Amino acid sequence: MIEHYFQKINERLELVLKHEKGNLKKAAYIVSEAIQKGGIIQLFGCGHSHILTEEVFYRAGGLVPIKPIFFEPLMLHEGAVRSSMLERMNDFAKNFIDHEDIRPEDVFFVLSTSGRNPVPIDVALAAKAKGAYTIAVTSLAYSKSQPSRHKSGRLLYEVVDLVIDNHSVKGDAILAHPNVSVPFAPTSTVIGSAILNAVFAEAIALMAENGVEPPIFLSGNIEGADEHNRRWIEQYQERIPVLVEGQQP
């Protein structure tokens, strides 16, 4: 099964590269332009999708102006079953998203593989209403196989400015076994991480080619990193308070 899983992951990656390359490049251009104009990149996901917001946040070799939207009841550590139920509630996103600092110069990624639950859809609509450019990382095959739970009847891919298909299968799990009654081994986190890091890598290259120093974190385990990173943190900490919240004086 180990080799089989790696094979399936490689197949998904090839599908994304083949079918989504244009959208990946477009997303990278939009991210690059937003950062050059003073904007930041915001990301939101529920449940396991929130892992992707942490993957690219405060990341060695990653972009500095990344702001994850953390709302703990929709993560997993306060109750996994409860978080799933809350994600299905229409208008629940008003508990946190209306208070977020989202501006027209920003890019906002919404991460949801099924794309059917109300909270990610409402978050995308709220970000769009505030003028941000919205990008969904979702599975079109999964989304189109299930009805929306949103009161509008719309799915995530129908409410954003740009869609990047992660090419996950319905249900996300990719493997089967004759002695196992349900599919297993999800792909969306691995593929989603590759998508985001590829987009940001391209955006960094675009900034560099435009004569702009890209804001990149250096690993804290490399000598001189503290000084390098402090400069960027000071530049962005007002827009991204989670960079310094709880910091000791």
Side-chain angles (χ1 to χ4, degrees):
M1 279 297 165
I2 292 172
E3 293 86 354
H4 198 193
Y5 183 71
F6 271 78
Q7 177 189 340
K8 290 296 184 181
I9 289 295
N10 284 328
E11 288 175 1
R12 297 296 112 184
L13 288 170
E14 288 297 329
L15 284 171
V16 170
L17 188 59
K18 179 180 179 180
H19 297 288
E20 307 304 314
K21 189 174 182 179
N23 286 337
L24 295 174
K25 283 185 171 291
K26 184 175 182 180
Y29 175 79
I30 291 164
V31 166
S32 170
E33 289 294 300
I35 292 172
Q36 291 179 74
K37 293 175 181 176
I40 63 173
I41 313 307
Q42 309 205 40
L43 304 98
F44 173 80
C46 296
H48 283 90
S49 292
H50 103 270
I51 294 170
L52 295 176
T53 74
E54 294 196 68
E55 157 61 22
V56 294
F57 171 61
Y58 194 59
R59 192 71 157 99
L63 285 168
V64 177
I66 299 289
K67 177 190 167 190
I69 306 294
F70 293 144
F71 187 68
E72 295 191 4
L74 292 169
M75 294 158 74
L76 300 171
H77 61 280
E78 290 190 350
V81 173
R82 178 172 176 263
S83 72
S84 292
M85 297 305 298
L86 293 176
E87 183 184 0
R88 300 179 182 185
M89 293 177 61
N90 281 279
D91 301 317
F92 183 77
K94 291 183 180 296
N95 287 295
F96 62 94
I97 198 62
D98 289 348
H99 309 295
E100 292 292 338
D101 177 14
I102 304 169
R103 305 180 187 179
E105 60 266 30
D106 296 342
V107 177
F108 200 109
F109 284 82
V110 182
L111 312 157
S112 173
T113 295
S114 75
R116 68 183 301 216
N117 287 317
V119 168
I121 294 169
D122 281 337
V123 166
L125 290 169
K128 199 169 183 179
K130 292 185 178 187
Y133 189 93
T134 54
I135 302 175
V137 179
T138 188
S139 167
L140 293 179
Y142 196 164
S143 297
K144 293 176 180 180
S145 73
Q146 305 287 305
S148 173
R149 292 189 173 116
H150 193 266
K151 60 187 179 182
S152 71
R154 290 185 291 176
L155 295 152
L156 178 61
Y157 78 88
E158 297 177 301
V159 304
V160 295
D161 298 303
L162 180 66
V163 177
I164 299 174
D165 189 353
N166 66 16
H167 289 267
S168 292
V169 299
K170 175 185 175 181
D172 199 5
I174 199 72
L175 298 183
H177 189 281
N179 296 335
V180 180
S181 62
V182 296
F184 55 96
T187 65
S188 60
T189 304
V190 177
I191 305 304
S193 177
I195 286 171
L196 291 175
N197 281 301
V199 166
F200 297 159
E202 180 75 5
I204 286 168
L206 289 171
M207 282 184 271
E209 290 161 8
N210 200 33
V212 174
E213 181 186 4
I216 303 169
F217 277 119
L218 188 62
S219 170
N221 296 310
I222 293 177
E223 290 299 319
D226 290 349
E227 292 74 18
H228 171 92
N229 294 337
R230 187 179 299 115
R231 172 170 65 95
W232 289 117
I233 289 170
E234 289 174 353
Q235 179 172 333
Y236 286 106
Q237 64 185 12
E238 182 179 350
R239 290 287 331 265
I240 312 173
V242 71
L243 280 170
V244 294
E245 284 174 347
Q247 181 176 308
Q248 295 296 317

